[in-house]
Amino acid sequence: ATMVESRDNNTGGHIKRTKAYVTLMLNKMRGDSCYRRVLSRDYITHVINAAPLHDVGKIATPDSILQKPGKLTDEEYAIMKRHAADGGKIIQQTFRDLDDADFRQIAYEVARFHHEKYNGKGYPDGLKGNEIPIEAQVVALADVYDALTSERCYKKAFSHEKAVQMIQNGECGAFNPLLLQCLTDTQDELNEKLHPQMQEKQEKE
């Protein structure tokens, strides 16, 4: 996961922050009656450990696309989108001899389905609603939040408040309403976990 991140022109720390956000949200969700039976201690541990692998498929994405500073063309975006399916295949091939079948399945689902959307307009399979495994839904929300609040080669960083507003307004695709409520409930703690340079920038502004 670290090797993939070193190729992706991010400011660094994306996988660590995403893992931290996933941990925060899962622990919050465990207190919700809707998820209490699903979110066992082992399950939460597996999802937290699988979260850094969500973009592992980008190892197969050309540098010219992965590091492009401007907007991708339709053709380039179609190639970029392959990283989800590629990631699922890589997990299956790499972990096929792993004894822990539960972790292997969760890691696969996180990698393949973290770009699916609650309204069925995501990729690669166009899954809708609860057809999307909950672990992939949580990682997707954490991934989008960090993408918004981080500076990338093609965009400036948004403030925490703006990022939350954009997600809640549906500007970043459709998410499970229960997860959006979880985002609202944990937003103060999320803000505290922003990388130091973002906090300093917000204080100066």
Side-chain angles (χ1 to χ4, degrees):
T2 303
M3 289 171 64
V4 173
E5 184 175 65
S6 70
R7 292 184 59 237
D8 195 356
N9 249 353
N10 293 340
T11 53
H14 170 65
I15 56 176
K16 290 181 180 179
R17 291 192 303 271
T18 300
K19 183 176 180 179
Y21 302 151
V22 166
T23 302
L24 180 63
M25 286 192 288
L26 286 174
N27 286 329
K28 179 69 176 179
M29 290 166 63
R30 198 176 185 198
D32 192 312
S33 59
C34 295
Y35 294 114
R36 194 173 296 134
R37 292 182 180 178
V38 179
L39 301 184
S40 66
R41 191 176 301 277
D42 286 345
Y43 176 86
I44 289 176
T45 299
H46 286 333
V47 177
I48 290 170
N49 289 333
L53 299 170
H54 67 280
D55 275 339
V56 70
K58 285 185 177 180
I59 202 164
T61 305
D63 286 343
S64 59
I65 293 176
L66 202 59
Q67 300 176 8
K68 184 176 179 179
K71 184 178 180 180
L72 298 179
T73 65
D74 290 344
E75 183 180 9
E76 289 170 335
Y77 184 53
I79 294 173
M80 173 67 87
K81 287 165 62 176
R82 294 177 191 166
H83 82 272
D86 287 344
K89 292 176 183 176
I90 289 170
I91 294 294
Q92 286 182 320
Q93 293 168 359
T94 306
F95 293 167
R96 63 178 177 269
D97 296 324
L98 193 69
D99 290 337
D100 195 331
D102 290 338
F103 175 73
R104 183 174 64 238
Q105 183 64 22
I106 288 171
Y108 165 77
E109 291 176 346
V110 163
R112 184 175 180 92
F113 302 130
H114 72 283
H115 280 292
E116 300 289 353
K117 295 298 182 184
Y118 205 67
N119 59 4
K121 295 184 178 181
Y123 62 87
D125 300 312
L127 301 184
K128 184 177 182 180
N130 289 327
E131 292 175 351
I132 309 168
I134 191 61
E135 61 267 22
Q137 294 186 48
V138 174
V139 171
L141 185 54
D143 184 33
V144 167
Y145 173 80
D146 188 66
L148 290 173
T149 55
S150 301
E151 186 170 344
R152 299 287 174 87
C153 61
Y154 54 85
K155 62 173 279 296
K156 296 292 185 180
F158 291 104
S159 68
H160 162 76
E161 291 77 13
K162 179 63 175 177
V164 171
Q165 182 183 49
M166 291 172 70
I167 293 171
Q168 295 284 11
N169 290 344
E171 296 177 48
C172 307
F175 290 96
N176 185 330
L178 291 175
L179 292 190
L180 292 179
Q181 184 59 52
C182 180
L183 176 67
T184 299
D185 293 343
T186 60
Q187 63 174 313
D188 290 341
E189 293 165 275
L190 278 173
N191 196 24
E192 292 174 2
K193 290 182 181 293
L194 279 172
H195 41 88
Q197 57 266 39
M198 186 62 194
Q199 290 179 335
E200 291 174 6
K201 183 178 179 181
Q202 288 179 355
E203 288 172 2
K204 290 178 181 178
E205 292 175 349

